[in-house]
């Protein structure tokens, strides 16, 4: 089970320290992951607050991943893949784009803070774009602070 | 009109063309109706038709108990027929294996349900037999006036509103059970490996459930409003559904329930689809 | 309970400089299910790999996480290493703490925190990894070669010589490509057609090669080992089975003034024609845009004179479908358009050279035709305007290439050599003539190339002037070439009877559309992209599709032939086994929960998912579900996200794994 094994783990509590933004990024393997690799190879320094989860394609990204990430305390979520026409699987990103479009409309309607969900296309050649984007997102999330509205949901109970 | 329906039902059952007629009968209380499954020509007198026939009976096609009875005929309003169209489109039923007893409808409920004033299918778009006088579709109705009204609120107000609404959800899943298009045998909400929807009674899991319920109906919901009608705590689910309908219409030029040949919008794409939100 | 090993690489100091590897090992060791956690200077080294192998045996590990560089670098290395210890390779994952961490962050503490998170994510994922086994798919041992120039011919001959069937498709009525248009070739001055035509004949004669000329590839579907292609055989209007190539038809055709494409517009052809005398096949085609029968329903002379009755005006285009296992793309090149009309906005042309206006300003391939014995002047150098033998000729190098202002930055590579050859051949034919060459610098890097250029200068008296030409204008019946001589720092004016522009090689004008059609990548210039510029120069990123010749980059004949042979050997390597091993990252349907909404079937980019009937033992249909053809599934997972009941899962990236990764980040 996912949760059981993790209850017991030990990790120094960051809470005693200064709050740091927590950002989870869902990226495709062929474009954005490789773009982030290129940022590394090119030694472009950027903010260390993004945790990348690699999927084969943006087409694999379920909108529930985004909700799960916020449930796990993310202050921001990035979703990034290949530019249109550039998908390794020819069309996965086109399907993804429709889903993200519809789902973000739903989130926005619910008053969700849309500055915390960032969709982008970053190609394997765009290491610089990735680094710049991460810096910008981290800067914005720092400004916004912890995603209290979402994190508070846990405390609320219907009963 | 009901006499003609009963007559047709009797004829279909007697000839054996259909094995069951799905319709409405009087409920136990005044001004209520309930679904009825007529399998014998002798029982057609139980069928009724009035403005309390809310239920979208298309919900029953995909139920095994009903399917096992044999070829059905169904009494369907224009909105119910839209659900049937989506079910055909999603290969849940074959159009030729059902008989639609279409009824023209000027609206149900007292006062009218919120879907009725914005209805453009008072005469069903598809049927085998039509009952009642044809009603020309209204022109120029704004199907998302309530959505636009709500969108005038600030994000904070909207969040506060839905947070309060979702906090009252008891995850009874009546919204799902009553929905003619929620036909998965194992719902995402029932999956625990991994756990998609948190089961504990906090708002966080409720938010996830309500977002996903609406999301899974995006581009599919035909606004029968049954989910909202069934919700015991009164969450305005139709408002969410209509927001997504607006999104799909504006972005992809698509309205569900009108054309069973079209690809559902989230299984299709165009190269030039909007992406103003993507960096 | 899982038994995971975590192996942390310092990568020398690449990682260790920024990430506290000792602390990372310590923290990783505390993660539930982690049996062993160690750090080492170079995990990819032999001792490093041995450390992993030993630990697998010693601690009975059932999962390995290597925290090191990008999986794009060393995942194959470590997966191969765990296999040697009897572990399934898909139980080994990498946490990228170099490219995604140590190389891009400076704050040691935050970088170490991030590295710990990245390891935790992978530990939680690997706990849920399952053993996966390569998928075997059969290979169709037949190759498609697109393009019948020298590269395509060479590739086809080599593959056929290896014992495999080849389908060779050529757009023009004859194979031969651009090489057939050349007079002699550098640096040996071999007659181009003399060395090419035996190959052309061999292609037609080899029973393993099926040749379609006047045909184009219309569609490519499928994947490595199992492509399905559609070829459009354009209507030749001549029945090739009956025609014996006697030539009566084209000799009698009244339409005699159609500019010949083969002669680059310097000569003429008829409406029914073979492009050149040595054409293979030697069957004419009717150019319906110029034929009176098709334009006005008149004439019909060719049908009347054909004693064999081979002319068929009713012939229609035909679509030929074929299954092939590998594809070699050898679609060749075009020349930069010098004149006013350009195929794209970036290219500006050379209005100042008056190519469009002055008949005696010609391009490289036109000069080849003037030199060629099969050309419009039978090999005598006579200028187009008045047929006079030019007594002075100015050659201008780098026309189009190496000039970002004109739209092309790259070096066209072959021009330095062909200019030297042109000047030399001119001198050989017009002994009292004077060739001048305007050049930027001379790039003669090739076997015997520099010697060849020296020979042009020293033995044949070619005058090289280092500088660009700013304009060309007419004075009497001569052309005045105005340029700079940067070595003497002066303006020069040359009076020339003929000017030859060494035009750059450019990709085919439909190169991009064609790349899209067959599913390969293409650089911004339009040359097709190789999988790796150094280590995989003949493969494309699409498995099973290879490149040969100038469609990938400007090339001379030996380079094109070498690449063609390399591509052919790659094809034979692929064909050397009966089955292909594919990564088992494929989708699978849970038939119990699938409700057959067909979302997955609709979204699959590869049409790899189909309807499946579930029947009881009496054969009665119970219900329908979706089914993935794992041979065709490429593993994108678009179907998984489209499935409302989560009844499709992608091996290696299933929902449980991804959720575990997300949840691993939930702890503070």
């Amino acid at each position: 089970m996912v949760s059981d094994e993790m209850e017991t783990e030990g990790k120094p509590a960051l809470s005693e320290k200064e709050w740091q933004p927590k950002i989870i990024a869902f990226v495709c393997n062929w474009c954005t992951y490789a773009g982030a690799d290129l940022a590394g190879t090119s030694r472009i320094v950027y903010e260390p607050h993004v945790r990348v989860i690699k999927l084969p394609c943006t087409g694999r990204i379920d909108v529930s991943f985004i909700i799960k990430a916020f449930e796990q305390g993310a202050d921001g979520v990035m979703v990034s893949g290949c530019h249109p026409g550039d998908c390794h699987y020819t069309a996965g990103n086109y399907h993804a784009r429709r889903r993200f479009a519809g789902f973000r409309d739903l989130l926005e309607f619910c008053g969700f803070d849309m500055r915390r969900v960032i969709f982008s296309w970053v190609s394997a050649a765009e290491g610089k774009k990735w680094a710049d984007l991460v810096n910008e997102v981290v800067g914005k999330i720092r400004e916004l602070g912890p995603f209290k509205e979402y994190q508070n949901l846990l405390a609320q109970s219907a009963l | 009109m009901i006499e003609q329906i009963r007559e047709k039902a009797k004829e279909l059952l007697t000839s054996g063309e259909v094995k069951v007629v799905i319709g409405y009968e009087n409920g136990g209380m005044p001004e209520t109706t309930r679904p009825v499954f007529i399998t014998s020509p002798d029982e057609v007198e139980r069928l009724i038709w009035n403005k309390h026939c809310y239920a979208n009976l298309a919900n029953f096609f995909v139920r095994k108990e009903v399917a096992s009875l044999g070829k059905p005929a169904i009494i369907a309003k224009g909105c119910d027929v839209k659900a049937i169209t989506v079910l055909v489109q999603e290969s849940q039923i074959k159009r030729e294996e059902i008989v639609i007893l279409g009824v023209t409808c000027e609206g149900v409920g007292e006062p009218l349900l919120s879907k009725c004033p914005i209805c453009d299918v008072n005469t069903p778009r598809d049927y085998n037999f039509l009952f009642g006088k044809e009603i020309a579709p209204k022109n120029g109705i704004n199907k998302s006036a309530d959505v636009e009204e709500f969108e005038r609120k600030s994000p904070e107000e909207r969040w506060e509103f839905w947070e309060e609404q979702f906090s009252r959800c008891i995850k009874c899943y009546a919204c799902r059970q009553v929905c003619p298009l929620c036909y998965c045998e194992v719902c995402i909400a029932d999956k625990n490996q991994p756990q998609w929807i948190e089961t504990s009674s906090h708002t966080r899991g409720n938010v996830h459930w309500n977002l996903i319920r609406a999301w899974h109906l995006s581009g599919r919901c035909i606004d029968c409003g049954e989910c909202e009608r069934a919700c015991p705590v009164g969450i305005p689910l139709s408002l969410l559904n209509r927001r997504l309908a607006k999104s799909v219409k504006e972005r992809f030029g698509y309205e569900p329930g009108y054309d069973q040949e079209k690809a559902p919008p989230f299984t299709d794409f165009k190269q030039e689809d909007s992406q103003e939100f993507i960096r | 309970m899982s038994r995971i090993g975590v192996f942390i690489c310092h990568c020398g100091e690449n990682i260790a400089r920024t990430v506290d590897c000792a602390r990372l090992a310590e923290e990783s060791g505390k993660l539930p299910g982690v049996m062993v956690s160690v750090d080492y200077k170079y995990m990819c080294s032999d001792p490093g790999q041995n450390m992993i192998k030993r630990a697998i045996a010693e601690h009975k590990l059932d999962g390995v996480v290597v925290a090191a560089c990008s999986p794009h670098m060393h995942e194959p290395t470590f997966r191969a290493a765990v296999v040697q210890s009897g572990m399934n390779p898909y139980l080994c994952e990498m946490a990228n703490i170099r490219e995604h961490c140590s190389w891009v962050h400076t704050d040691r503490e935050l970088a170490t925190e991030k590295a710990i998170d990245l390891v935790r994510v992978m530990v939680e994922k690997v706990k849920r990894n399952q053993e996966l086994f390569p998928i075997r798919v059969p290979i169709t041992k037949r190759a498609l070669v697109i393009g019948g120039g020298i590269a395509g011919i060479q590739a086809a001959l080599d593959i056929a010589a290896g014992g495999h069937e080849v389908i060779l498709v050529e757009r023009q009525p004859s194979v031969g490509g651009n090489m057939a248009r050349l007079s002699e070739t550098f640096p040996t001055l071999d007659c181009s057609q003399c060395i090419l035509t035996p190959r052309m004949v061999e292609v037609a004669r080899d029973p393993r090669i099926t040749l379609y000329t006047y045909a184009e590839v219309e569609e490519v579907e499928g994947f490595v080992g199992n492509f399905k292609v559609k070829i459009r055989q354009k209507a030749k209007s001549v029945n090739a089975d009956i025609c014996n190539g006697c030539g009566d038809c084209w000799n009698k055709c009244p339409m005699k003034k159609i500019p010949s494409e083969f002669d680059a517009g310097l000569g003429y052809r008829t409406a029914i024609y073979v492009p050149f005398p040595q054409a293979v096949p030697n069957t004419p085609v009717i150019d319906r845009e110029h034929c009176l029968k098709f334009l006005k329903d008149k004439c019909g002379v060719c049908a009347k004179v054909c004693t064999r009755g081979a002319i068929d005006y009713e012939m229609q285009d035909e679509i030929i479908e074929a299954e092939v296992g590998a594809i070699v793309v050898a679609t060749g090149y075009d020349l930069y358009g010098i004149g006013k009309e350009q195929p794209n906005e970036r290219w500006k042309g050379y209005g100042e050279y008056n190519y469009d206006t002055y008949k005696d300003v010609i391009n490289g391939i036109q000069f080849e035709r003037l030199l060629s014995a099969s050309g419009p002047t039978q090999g005598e150098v006579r200028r187009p305007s008045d047929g006079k033998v030019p007594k002075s000729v100015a050659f201008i190098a780098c026309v189009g290439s190496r000039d970002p202002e004109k739209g092309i930055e790259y070096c066209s590579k072959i021009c330095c050599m062909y200019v030297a050859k042109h000047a030399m051949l001119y001198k050989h034919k017009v002994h009292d003539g004077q060739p001048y060459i305007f050049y930027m610098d001379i790039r003669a890097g090739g076997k015997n190339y520099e010697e060849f250029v020296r020979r042009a200068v020293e033995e044949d008296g070619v005058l090289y002037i280092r500088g660009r030409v700013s304009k060309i204008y007419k004075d009497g019946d001569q052309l005045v070439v105005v340029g700079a001589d940067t070595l003497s720092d002066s303006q020069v004016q040359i009076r020339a009877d003929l000017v030859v522009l060494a035009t750059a090689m450019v990709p085919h004008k439909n190169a991009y559309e064609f790349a899209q059609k067959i599913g390969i990548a293409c650089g911004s210039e339009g040359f097709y992209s190789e999988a790796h510029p150094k280590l995989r120069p003949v493969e494309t990123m699409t498995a099973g599709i290879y490149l040969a010749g100038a469609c990938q980059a400007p090339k001379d004949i030996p380079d094109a032939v070498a690449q063609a042979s390399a591509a052919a050997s790659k094809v034979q390597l692929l064909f050397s086994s009966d089955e292909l091993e594919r990564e088992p990252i494929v989708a699978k349907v849970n038939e119990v929960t699938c409700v057959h909404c067909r979302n997955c079937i609709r979204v699959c980019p590869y049409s790899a998912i189909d309807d499946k009937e579930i029947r009881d033992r009496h054969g009665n249909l119970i219900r329908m579900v979706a089914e993935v053809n794992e041979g065709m599934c490429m593993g994108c997972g678009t179907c998984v996200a489209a499935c409302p009941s989560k009844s499709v899962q992608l091996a290696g990236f299933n929902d449980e794994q991804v959720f575990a990764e997300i949840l691993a980040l939930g702890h503070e």
Side-chain angles (χ1 to χ4, degrees), chain A residues 4 24 48 100 120 148 152:
Chain A
D4 293 354
I24 299 180
F100 300 154
S120 60
K148 286 266 166 51
N152 288 345

Side-chain angles (χ1 to χ4, degrees), chain A residues 64 67-68 71, chain B residues 169 171 173 176 187-200 202-213 216, chain C residues 659:
Chain A
S64 270
I67 305 180
K68 276 281 158 199
E71 285 179 0
Chain B
C169 172
K171 282 193 242 145
Y173 301 128
R176 173 186 81 188
C187 172
I188 192 168
D190 301 328
K191 294 228 170 192
N192 59 7
Q193 200 160 357
Q195 186 86 57
W196 288 79
I197 310 293
E198 295 174 297
T199 47
S200 349
H202 50 63
T203 307
R204 198 170 79 173
N206 296 352
V207 168
H208 197 160
W209 163 249
N210 280 279
L211 290 176
I212 289 302
R213 185 209 61 80
H216 277 193
Chain C
F659 275 49

Side-chain angles (χ1 to χ4, degrees), chain B residues 3-231:
Chain B
E3 280 313 316
Q4 290 151 321
I5 297 175
R6 286 173 184 161
E7 204 173 301
K8 180 56 76 180
K10 189 168 206 160
E11 179 191 320
L12 290 170
L13 286 166
T14 311
S15 72
E17 194 186 334
V18 305
K19 301 292 180 202
V20 58
V21 175
I22 309 173
Y24 307 88
E25 69 173 347
N26 265 317
M29 318 245 279
E31 301 195 341
T32 62
T33 62
R34 65 184 170 216
V36 64
F37 305 88
I38 307 289
T39 52
S40 153
D42 307 334
E43 292 178 348
V44 296
E45 295 306 316
R46 288 169 69 184
L47 291 170
I48 59 155
W49 168 251
N50 61 39
K51 60 170 20 183
H52 302 296
C53 295
Y54 309 104
N56 187 339
L57 303 176
N59 187 21
F60 293 107
F61 282 133
V62 290
R63 297 288 146 93
K64 283 194 182 115
E65 307 85 317
V66 179
S68 65
L69 294 173
K71 184 175 180 177
I74 186 169
I75 296 175
K77 308 181 285 293
C79 48
D80 307 336
V81 166
K82 285 205 284 181
I84 294 171
T85 300
V86 175
L87 288 171
V88 171
Q89 184 185 23
E90 297 178 358
S91 84
Q92 297 305 300
I93 44 175
K94 291 203 174 77
R95 179 63 186 86
E96 64 276 16
E97 290 176 4
I98 58 168
V99 172
I100 300 176
L101 307 176
V103 287
T104 60
C105 166
E106 305 215 47
V108 288
E110 268 176 335
L112 285 182
L113 297 184
S114 66
K115 65 176 173 177
C116 297
I118 55 171
C119 171
D120 61 358
V121 287
N122 305 78
T123 303
R125 292 172 55 89
D126 182 19
Y127 49 79
N128 297 85
F129 305 99
L130 183 67
F131 302 92
K133 219 174 122 201
E134 280 203 42
I135 304 166
K138 291 181 278 260
N139 284 324
I141 35 174
N142 179 2
K143 295 185 184 179
S144 45
D146 54 347
V147 170
E148 283 151 25
E149 162 97 40
F150 186 81
E151 279 175 332
R152 280 195 275 276
K153 292 178 192 283
S154 71
E156 293 76 18
E157 288 168 332
R158 296 200 296 268
W159 179 257
E160 203 179 316
F161 175 84
W162 289 111
E163 187 183 15
E164 192 279 324
Q165 295 290 343
F166 295 153
S167 74
R168 291 184 289 107
C169 172
I170 54 171
K171 282 193 242 145
C172 66
Y173 301 128
C175 48
R176 173 186 81 188
Q177 294 312 108
V178 79
C179 175
L181 301 177
C182 268
Y183 50 72
C184 290
E185 287 183 26
V186 178
C187 172
I188 192 168
D190 301 328
K191 294 228 170 192
N192 59 7
Q193 200 160 357
Q195 186 86 57
W196 288 79
I197 310 293
E198 295 174 297
T199 47
S200 349
S201 65
H202 50 63
T203 307
R204 198 170 79 173
N206 296 352
V207 168
H208 197 160
W209 163 249
N210 280 279
L211 290 176
I212 289 302
R213 185 209 61 80
W215 172 244
H216 277 193
L217 285 155
S218 181
R220 307 173 59 234
C221 172
I222 48 82
D223 197 18
C224 70
E226 288 289 274
C227 50
E228 180 168 318
R229 204 172 62 84
C231 180

